[in-house]
């Protein structure tokens, strides 16, 4: 059962206004024929209310109620007085003009309201008077200027009263009441309107206006067409009797005393009624002539009265039938466009739920848009899914890249202190005679090497995952490869009391072509695993080969190729059959409960599998749980030298020595090498490791300093660190190559790197380095590498006459250094010695640290002031490492925090904490002064007057910005002891010189 729909209140109000306006207008028009019989005052008062009903209903309700009222009046006149119903044309004009002005807010204030009243005066007085004169058959010449004035002012009362009533309604009526009137929405705050009302008020609708223009244009054309047709089809309707001339003369007297439009309209109406009565008689006569333009005007007015309201109604219908559905569709689609991801589905549903059933192209358009949006949403979901997958892949890719970068950076951080630990530990093993200390040192060495192995595994795994590990084949000596493997594995086997058996086929060619490093890495990983999981018994390494037949016998190059076979067998715990597949998993540990105490990352076999796959090989596994395992692989290698390797086991047994009973392998007092590293601690370690070799070691802490040294000295070898501030090792190396004054263009240059990510070797070789050495520096490898590049005539070996050891003297030096270190405050002595390896080296590191305080603190201060975060972070990073090396723990911790702030570009924290860091840093000038005081005592004290003269010269150079000359004077002063009263000032001058602070220097000088 359908519910009865309640008529909207707004419709009821419009109907009420239409009834009232129509009633009073019809009432007025019933009396229009009797105006001449009324008293002039009564007629004037009565005439005031002629247009007020139409003005009120149109201004308040809008064009539709106004047009309906006019149409009702027109229908009434057509029935009651069919001959002059076209006189309703004036009501139509008043309705159109009033609605247009109301929509433009002409009733919003008094000035515009009065202007509206004047405009209506002209329309209803002057314009309508001219039309009525034409209807009476008179010419415009008969409408004198005085009549214009009369007609204008006679309309004033009605127009002003009607307009002021409308103004009062819109001015004082409550907002909620205004919104119930058709034009009320134009006179309220737009913010309280809904979207559709604002759309109408702001005049954004175009279709309605277009339809209205079309219909009005058609009405005008129709009117003129009808007028032209009437001249052709019914000419008798526009004629007038010639014999009526005398009568016309009498009638002319009737129009002379007309002073307002009402009287004129009344007389025109009476005349038209008389014309209707006489029309039949006139048509029967023969003496007719063309009449005036009255008929054409009447016809146009009649058509307008019918068509213009019709145009309005059609417009409203077009709005409902065309504009409103399109507007609803446009609004819904716009909401989809403006919606966010959360609301878009709801807005799409709104489009789908629209009720547009016009049965024409609009409905077809709606269904097409609905289907398009549906397809579009499907496509968007597909794109989102794809984008989600791509984003996930990018996240994974970014995570892998971030992991690789992290591992690359952390390797530098981890391996640098390990360098110091293992280097100084090696010095303890060399120099100590205490068996307990030696045992501790051996444990440190073993743990350090284990840590390095774990780091290398993780870094290699990261490199493989990133797809950046390359196989680089080179010529290599097979005997050397096997020797390295056995040396590295034998120590661990001995520690576990395992027998290590090495079986090498004597006929294997000794020089092959392949990636020696990767093959060695695979064998070591397998052997290390075998030792870890074997508690009793032996580990056996079998190395054999098979010849590979050439695919093309005519190609000699293909004939020299073998299949190198490697097999490692152990008597360990074995692997369960179901666990064998787990060996390939990253970080996978088999039989975890049983093997939980065995060290390792779970990456070794995974790395082996990846490397063998890159070399077109695979790892084969055989195992019996509880009895042992066998790992094997075979790799195709090109043969460079067919000479057999011979009896490897015999040669190896003869060469085995006690690795912990260190003695330097050579002396080279005439040899000279250059070591470049931005961290002074690393330089001190290298100097300490090579101290017993008597080789001359020059050091540089920057690339620019190295470039200067290679133009002054000729070196046998150059060791060049990769990661340095301002100019890194690779940039420095290429700068050396291009340097015209370089005395060392043919000198071997070896890269030093703590960045041990796989692929470093290939990179350094591609850049042109002679070789590279990984940090931490291995003492044996360091000496072996130096020996391989030094001229033989500069080297003396044990047993030579000039080979003399001075161990007792070195031990005494270390004791003296310890006594000096004990005098220093603000440091952790145990940490300093642990990081430096010995008291003597620690003392030298502290002295180096003190010498750098003024310069480096000045640079940190300068870069912080300039906002140069990159260099600031580099130097704070260096301070962190060097402070830890001397045991300045608090200073190192502060530097580490500020280094992190620099990496995060936390400018606020840097500005806040840098002064505190610098104050603590510079305080070590005093704390470490005791280490250099003895050296200063050996210098002559400079005279105060000479010092003042030197300061004056420095001031002149600084004022002219000649800092190099000022720096030369400061270096000259280093040869003298500064008087105590000038010590503080001199220290500040050195600091300001390091910071290149011109204003500060001029102030203090």
């Amino acid at each position: 059962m359908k519910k009865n729909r309640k008529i909207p209140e707004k419709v009821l109000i419009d109907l009420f206004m239409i009834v009232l306006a129509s009633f009073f207008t019809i009432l007025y028009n019933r009396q229009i024929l009797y105006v001449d019989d009324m008293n002039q005052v009564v007629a004037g008062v009565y005439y005031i209310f002629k247009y007020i009903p139409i003005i009120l209903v149109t201004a308040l309700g809008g064009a539709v109620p106004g047009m309906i009222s006019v149409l009702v009046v027109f229908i009434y006149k057509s029935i009651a007085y069919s001959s002059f119903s076209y006189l309703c044309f004036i009501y139509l004009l008043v309705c159109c003009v009033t609605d247009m002005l109301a929509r433009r807010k002409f009733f919003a204030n008094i000035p515009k309201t009065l202007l509206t009243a004047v405009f209506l005066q002209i329309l209803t007085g002057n314009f309508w008077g001219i039309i009525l004169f034409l209807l009476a058959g008179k010419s415009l010449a008969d409408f004198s200027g005085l009549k214009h004035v009369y007609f204008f002012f006679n309309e004033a009362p009605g127009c002003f009263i009607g307009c002021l009533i409308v103004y009062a309604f819109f001015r004082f009526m409550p907002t909620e009441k205004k919104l119930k009137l058709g034009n009320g929405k134009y006179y309220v705050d737009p913010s309280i309107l809904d979207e559709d009302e604002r759309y109408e008020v702001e005049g954004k609708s175009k279709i309605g206006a277009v339809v209205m223009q079309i219909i009005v244009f058609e009405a005008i054309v129709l009117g003129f067409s009808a007028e032209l047709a009437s001249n052709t089809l019914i000419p008798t309707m526009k004629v007038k009797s010639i014999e009526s001339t005398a009568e016309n003369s009498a009638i002319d007297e009737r129009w002379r005393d007309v002073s307002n439009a009402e009287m004129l309209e009344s007389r025109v109406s009476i005349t038209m009624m008389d014309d209707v009565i006489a029309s039949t008689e006139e048509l029967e006569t023969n003496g007719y002539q063309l009449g005036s333009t009255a008929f054409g005007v009447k016809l146009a007015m009649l058509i307008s009265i019918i068509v213009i309201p019709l145009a309005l109604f059609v417009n409203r219908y077009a709005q409902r039938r065309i504009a409103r559905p399109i507007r609803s569709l446009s609004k819904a689609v716009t909401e989809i466009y403006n919606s966010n991801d959360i609301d878009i589905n709801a807005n799409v549903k709104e489009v789908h739920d629209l009720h547009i059933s016009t049965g024409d192209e609009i409905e077809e358009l709606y269904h097409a848009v609905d289907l398009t949006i549906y397809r579009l949403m499907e496509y968007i979901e597909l794109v989102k899914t794809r984008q989600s997958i791509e984003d996930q892949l990018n996240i994974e890719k970014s995570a892998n890249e971030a992991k690789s970068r992290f591992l690359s950076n952390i390797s530098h951080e981890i391996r640098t202190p390990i360098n110091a630990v293992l280097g100084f530990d090696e010095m303890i093993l060399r120099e100590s005679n205490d068996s307990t200390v030696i045992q501790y040192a051996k444990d440190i060495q073993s743990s350090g090497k284990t840590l390095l192995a774990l780091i290398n595994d993780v870094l290699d795994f990261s490199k493989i995952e990133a797809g950046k590990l390359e196989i680089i084949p080179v010529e290599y000596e097979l005997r050397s490869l096997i020797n390295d493997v056995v040396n590295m594995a034998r120590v661990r086997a001995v520690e576990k009391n395992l027998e290590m058996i090495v079986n090498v086929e004597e006929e294997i060619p000794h020089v092959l072509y392949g990636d020696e490093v990767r093959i060695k890495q695979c064998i070591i990983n397998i052997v290390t695993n075998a030792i870890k999981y074997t508690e009793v018994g032996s580990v056996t390494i079998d190395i054999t080969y098979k010849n590979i037949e050439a695919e093309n016998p005519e190609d000699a190059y293909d004939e020299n190729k073998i299949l190198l076979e490697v097999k490692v067998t152990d008597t360990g715990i074995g692997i369960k059959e179901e666990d064998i597949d787990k060996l390939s998993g990253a970080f996978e540990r088999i039989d975890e409960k049983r093997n939980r105490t065995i060290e390792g990352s779970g990456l070794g076999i995974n790395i082996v599998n990846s490397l063998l796959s890159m070399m077109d090989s695979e790892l084969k596994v055989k195992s019996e749980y509880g009895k042992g395992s066998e790992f094997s692989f075979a790799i195709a290698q090109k043969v460079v030298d067919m000479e057999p390797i011979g009896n490897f086991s015999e040669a190896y047994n003869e060469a085995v020595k006690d690795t912990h009973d260190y003695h330097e392998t050579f002396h080279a007092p005439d040899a000279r090498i250059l070591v470049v590293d931005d961290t002074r601690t690393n330089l001190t370690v290298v100097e300490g490791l090579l101290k017993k070799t008597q080789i001359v070691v020059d050091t540089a802490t920057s690339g620019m300093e190295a470039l200067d040294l290679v133009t002054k000295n000729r070196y046998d070898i150059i060791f060049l660190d990769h990661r340095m501030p301002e100019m890194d090792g690779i940039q420095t190396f290429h700068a050396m190559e291009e340097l015209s004054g370089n005395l060392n263009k043919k000198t071997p240059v070896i890269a030093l790197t703590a960045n041990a990510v796989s692929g470093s070797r290939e990179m350094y070789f591609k850049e042109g380095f002679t070789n590279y050495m990984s940090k931490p520096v291995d003492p044996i490898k360091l000496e072996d590498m130096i020996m391989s590049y030094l001229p033989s005539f500069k080297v003396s070996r044990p047993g030579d006459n000039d080979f003399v050891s001075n161990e007792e003297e070195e031990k005494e030096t270390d004791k003296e250094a310890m006594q000096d270190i004990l005098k220093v405050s603000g440091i952790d002595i145990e940490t300093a010695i642990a990081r430096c390896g010995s008291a003597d080296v620690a003392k030298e590191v502290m002295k180096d640290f003190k010498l750098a305080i003024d310069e480096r603190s000045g640079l940190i201060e300068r870069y912080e002031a300039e906002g140069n975060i990159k260099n600031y972070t580099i130097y704070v990073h260096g301070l962190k490492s060097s402070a830890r090396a001397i045991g300045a723990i608090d200073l190192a911790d502060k530097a580490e925090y500020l280094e992190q702030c620099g990496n995060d570009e936390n400018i606020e924290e840097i500005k806040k904490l840098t002064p505190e860091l610098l104050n603590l840093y510079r305080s070590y000038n005093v704390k470490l002064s005791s280490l250099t005081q003895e050296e200063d005592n050996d210098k002559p004290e400079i005279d105060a007057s000479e010092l003042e003269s030197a300061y004056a010269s420095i001031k002149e150079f600084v004022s002219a910005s000649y800092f190099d000359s000022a720096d030369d004077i400061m270096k000259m002063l280093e040869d003298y002891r500064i008087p105590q009263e000038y010590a503080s000032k001199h220290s500040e001058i050195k600091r300001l010189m390091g910071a290149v602070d011109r204003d500060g220097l001029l102030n203090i000088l």
Side-chain angles (χ1 to χ4, degrees), residues 699-952:
T699 59
T701 56
S702 69
M704 293 302 297
E705 188 178 349
L707 292 178
D708 180 58
L709 288 174
V710 296
T711 61
K712 296 178 179 179
N713 306 308
R714 195 178 299 276
Y715 296 103
D716 296 292
I717 306 171
I718 298 175
F719 290 91
L720 187 57
D721 184 37
H722 181 185
R723 296 184 62 176
M724 296 186 294
E726 297 179 0
M727 180 184 288
D728 65 25
I730 294 175
Q731 292 171 329
T732 303
F733 174 67
H734 292 312
M736 286 180 181
E737 291 181 318
E738 298 173 3
L739 190 62
S740 58
N742 183 9
L743 303 176
N744 300 273
K745 289 192 174 183
K746 295 184 179 181
T747 300
V749 180
I750 299 168
L752 288 174
T753 178
N755 184 5
V757 173
S758 299
S760 298
R761 178 187 63 156
E762 295 85 349
M763 178 187 67
Y764 293 125
F765 285 151
K766 286 179 181 179
E767 294 293 342
F769 284 87
T770 307
N771 209 328
Y772 91 106
M773 175 168 285
S774 178
K775 296 190 292 185
V777 175
D778 182 270
I780 302 297
K781 288 187 176 180
L782 177 62
E783 291 188 7
D784 287 345
M785 185 166 289
I786 291 174
M787 283 281 289
S788 64
Y789 292 107
L790 282 181
S792 58
F793 66 87
K794 291 188 177 182
V795 178
S796 60
R797 298 176 179 274
D800 295 342
N801 294 331
D802 56 349
F803 190 89
V804 179
S805 179
N806 53 356
E807 292 184 12
E808 294 300 325
E809 181 181 343
E810 291 171 357
K811 291 180 180 179
E812 186 64 30
T813 301
D814 200 55
K815 292 178 182 178
E816 294 176 358
M818 178 60 88
Q819 294 176 356
D820 293 334
I821 291 176
L822 290 172
K823 300 176 183 177
V824 177
S825 61
I827 63 169
D828 186 324
I829 296 177
E830 291 184 3
T831 299
I833 295 177
R835 290 186 65 89
C836 297
S838 69
D840 184 37
V841 175
K843 178 182 176 181
E844 293 301 317
V845 171
M846 291 177 190
K847 289 165 64 176
D848 291 337
F849 183 87
K850 182 181 183 302
L851 291 174
I853 290 176
D854 293 329
E855 178 186 1
R856 296 225 163 197
S857 64
L859 288 171
I860 292 173
E861 186 174 47
R862 170 187 167 190
Y863 289 135
E864 184 273 329
E866 294 175 351
N868 189 336
I869 302 302
K870 179 181 178 181
N871 281 332
Y872 174 89
T873 305
I874 289 173
Y875 280 98
V876 171
H877 164 77
L879 174 58
K880 174 193 71 174
S881 300
S882 57
R884 285 223 171 94
I886 68 166
I889 306 302
D890 187 31
L891 178 61
D893 290 343
K894 285 181 170 59
E896 182 176 20
Y897 177 71
L898 283 174
E899 179 192 8
Q900 185 60 46
C901 291
N903 291 331
D904 297 339
E905 296 188 355
N906 188 343
I907 309 299
E908 184 178 346
E909 282 289 276
I910 289 175
K911 289 186 175 296
K912 177 182 176 182
L913 299 178
T914 297
E916 181 182 348
L917 174 79
L918 292 174
N919 288 335
L920 181 59
Y921 187 16
R922 287 166 180 159
S923 70
Y924 280 87
N925 251 327
V926 177
K927 294 174 182 177
L928 300 174
S929 60
S930 62
L931 300 179
T932 58
Q933 186 174 6
E934 184 178 345
E935 295 179 359
D936 290 340
N937 291 336
D938 296 335
K939 299 176 183 178
E941 183 175 304
I942 189 171
D943 185 71
S945 60
E946 293 180 3
L947 183 59
E948 288 289 353
S949 177
Y951 286 160

Side-chain angles (χ1 to χ4, degrees), residues 274-486:
D274 294 339
D275 289 344
V276 170
I277 296 171
S279 61
T280 304
E281 299 174 357
E282 292 179 359
L283 288 173
E284 293 176 352
T285 64
N286 295 322
Y288 290 94
Q289 63 180 12
L290 292 174
S292 67
T293 59
F295 177 78
V297 174
K298 293 174 184 177
L299 184 61
M301 290 167 60
L302 281 170
I303 293 173
S304 299
I305 291 171
I306 296 172
V307 174
I308 292 179
L310 180 62
L312 179 67
F313 301 146
V314 172
N315 174 48
R316 293 296 179 178
Y317 175 74
Q319 288 278 359
R320 184 179 66 81
R321 184 71 169 69
I322 300 174
R324 189 175 298 169
I326 294 177
R327 167 62 182 152
S328 299
L329 182 59
S330 171
K331 178 183 175 183
V333 174
T334 301
E335 287 179 353
I336 292 176
Y337 173 77
N338 293 325
S339 62
N340 53 37
D341 290 341
I342 299 174
D343 300 331
I344 190 167
N345 289 328
N347 291 331
V348 169
K349 188 176 184 301
E350 286 183 11
V351 172
H352 186 69
D353 293 341
L354 286 176
H355 298 291
I356 298 178
S357 55
T358 59
D360 54 18
E361 290 84 355
I362 294 178
E363 185 175 353
E364 292 177 3
L365 173 64
Y366 161 67
H367 290 304
V369 171
D370 186 27
L371 183 60
T372 300
I373 291 175
Y374 177 75
R375 296 297 185 192
L376 183 61
M377 290 303 298
E378 284 187 334
Y379 177 73
I380 290 173
E381 289 300 321
L382 178 61
V383 170
K384 283 183 176 180
T385 302
R386 290 178 179 174
Q387 187 63 45
S388 177
I389 294 172
E390 290 179 4
D391 290 344
Q392 193 63 34
L393 290 175
N394 288 333
I395 290 172
E396 294 291 338
K397 183 178 179 182
S398 298
N400 283 333
E401 290 176 354
K403 180 177 66 177
S404 296
R405 287 195 301 271
F406 168 76
L407 293 173
S408 175
N409 292 332
I410 204 66
S411 69
H412 178 77
E413 297 298 329
I414 293 175
R415 293 171 68 88
T416 296
I418 292 177
N419 175 34
V421 170
L422 294 182
F424 294 132
D425 183 69
E426 182 65 25
M427 295 170 64
I428 294 174
L429 288 171
R430 296 179 186 183
E431 299 174 6
S432 178
N433 292 325
D434 189 319
S435 59
T436 303
V437 172
I438 290 175
Q439 185 58 48
Y440 291 156
K442 288 180 179 179
D443 292 340
I444 292 172
Q445 187 180 63
S446 175
S447 298
K449 288 181 178 180
T450 300
L451 179 59
L452 278 178
L454 292 174
I455 292 171
N456 289 335
D457 280 350
V458 173
L459 295 178
D460 281 339
F461 176 73
S462 172
K463 192 72 174 181
I464 291 169
E465 271 199 333
K468 295 181 179 180
L469 188 142
E470 298 179 8
I471 298 298
I472 307 297
V474 295
E475 293 184 8
Y476 66 93
E477 170 66 59
L478 181 59
R479 184 187 293 108
S480 175
L481 183 151
I482 301 172
N483 186 75
D484 288 346
V485 169
V486 175

Side-chain angles (χ1 to χ4, degrees), residues 2 103 132 139 221 434 476 610 614 656 737 774 805 850 892 956:
K2 293 184 178 179
R103 287 172 179 266
L132 290 174
S139 67
V221 173
D434 189 319
Y476 66 93
S610 298
M614 295 174 70
V656 171
E737 291 181 318
S774 178
S805 179
K850 182 181 183 302
E956 290 181 10

